[in-house]
Amino acid sequence: MSFRVEPDSSLKDALKDADHSLAGVWVCSASPLIAEICAGAGFDWLFIDAEHSPNDLQNVLAQLQAVRSYPVVPVVRPAVNDPVLIKQYLDLGVQSLIIPMVNDAQQAAAAVAACQYPPKGVRGVGSALARSARWNRIPEYLTRADETITIMVQIEADEAVRNVEEIVATPGVDGIFIGPSDLAASMGVIGQQSHPDVVAAVLKSINAAKAAGKYAGVNAFDQKSAREYMDAGADYVGVGADVALLARATEALAASFSSEAQSKAPQSY
């Protein structure tokens, strides 16, 4: 059996081989059916979110299974930078993680440690019980698991931007993912992801990652912003979400049959 768990391996492998910025879509509905629809849409990666969505371990497992046959890289965000929760997602077979709310190098190092077996880290050993190792059917999984795991840490606070050089220098961190919504809130301009100060912080973080030889991603549901960040060097960009796409499409359809069109929804994400 091949050592790689998922057919297209992890996000860092996809980024290493990419000749363009990778566009991804969030899957927040906790639905394997919707995940499979999104997986076949042509995106490069899927962002299965368990921080702001009703996803749990069983939902995430079902979605990993649903998208496995598609040429797309699944990426999972746990709710918190917690070694127990991270261990459980890794055992499910998650290979690419985005860890939220990492504000300094110490927190980044904790995220890395949670993803690595001792002596390098603190990941609990349960490969005989875990899908990640195919229940010990994958030779040398315990000694080579690190090769299959991508660790992205999320820059989404003003404090994190101030510490971004130290964060991206943390051994084992493959890159960052920037969240302009929380970043805007932390900078006192909540809901204004396009505020010049927020954009400057995003660009600073992208440049810091690139200078350190690490990958940089950003969330940008607005197409103009997404393309501008791609042009600025972002390696991967979250360009939409299943629930947001459904909300906007159903509003537009309803409005086409109604004399009272709904007001435009805010662009916050």
Side-chain angles (χ1 to χ4, degrees):
M1 177 178 288
S2 170
F3 179 69
R4 297 298 188 189
V5 178
E6 300 297 340
D8 291 287
S9 61
S10 70
L11 182 59
K12 64 184 176 185
D13 296 305
L15 290 168
K16 179 180 63 178
D17 297 332
D19 59 2
H20 62 281
S21 299
L22 302 186
V25 65
W26 291 50
V27 180
C28 305
S29 58
S31 166
L33 178 64
I34 299 301
E36 185 172 3
I37 292 171
C38 292
F43 292 103
D44 300 299
W45 61 288
L46 293 185
F47 190 149
I48 302 173
D49 181 42
E51 183 186 15
H52 293 294
S53 305
N55 279 308
D56 57 23
L57 290 167
Q58 290 190 345
N59 288 337
V60 170
L61 172 59
Q63 289 170 78
L64 292 175
Q65 293 168 329
V67 307
R68 190 176 189 276
S69 62
Y70 293 86
V72 67
V73 177
V75 181
V76 174
R77 178 171 67 177
V80 64
N81 185 5
D82 176 78
V84 174
L85 190 58
I86 290 172
K87 169 183 63 180
Q88 290 178 300
Y89 281 117
L90 291 175
D91 283 352
L92 287 184
V94 174
Q95 290 181 271
S96 303
L97 288 166
I98 290 178
I99 308 299
M101 293 293 180
V102 172
N103 292 329
D104 56 39
Q106 183 177 2
Q107 293 174 2
V112 173
C115 296
Q116 297 179 337
Y117 288 122
K120 293 190 294 182
V122 298
R123 179 183 176 186
V125 179
S127 58
L129 313 175
R131 178 177 179 265
S132 59
R134 289 299 188 268
W135 308 277
N136 273 351
R137 292 172 179 165
I138 296 178
E140 302 178 12
Y141 177 80
L142 292 176
T143 57
R144 298 180 60 197
D146 292 356
E147 298 175 21
T148 69
I149 297 171
T150 297
I151 305 168
M152 302 292 189
V153 297
Q154 194 153 359
I155 305 296
E156 48 187 338
D158 189 39
E159 178 185 2
V161 175
R162 293 196 302 270
N163 295 325
V164 68
E165 287 84 3
E166 291 79 13
I167 291 171
V168 296
T170 303
V173 168
D174 294 299
I176 59 174
F177 186 71
I178 307 158
S181 290
D182 280 303
L183 182 55
S186 76
M187 298 175 71
V189 288
I190 191 168
Q192 300 180 53
Q193 293 91 326
S194 297
H195 190 283
D197 292 344
V198 177
V199 173
V202 172
L203 295 176
K204 174 185 175 181
S205 300
I206 291 174
N207 291 334
K210 306 299 283 186
K214 303 294 179 72
Y215 297 112
V218 62
N219 204 43
F221 289 1
D222 172 68
Q223 285 199 26
K224 180 176 180 292
S225 296
R227 296 185 188 283
E228 288 175 349
Y229 287 138
M230 288 177 174
D231 291 340
D235 298 292
Y236 64 112
V237 180
V239 298
D242 56 350
V243 291
L245 292 167
L246 180 61
R248 301 294 85 79
T250 51
E251 289 163 3
L253 180 61
S256 71
F257 289 95
S258 172
S259 59
E260 297 180 3
Q262 290 198 19
S263 61
K264 184 179 180 181
Q267 290 298 312
S268 184
Y269 51 84

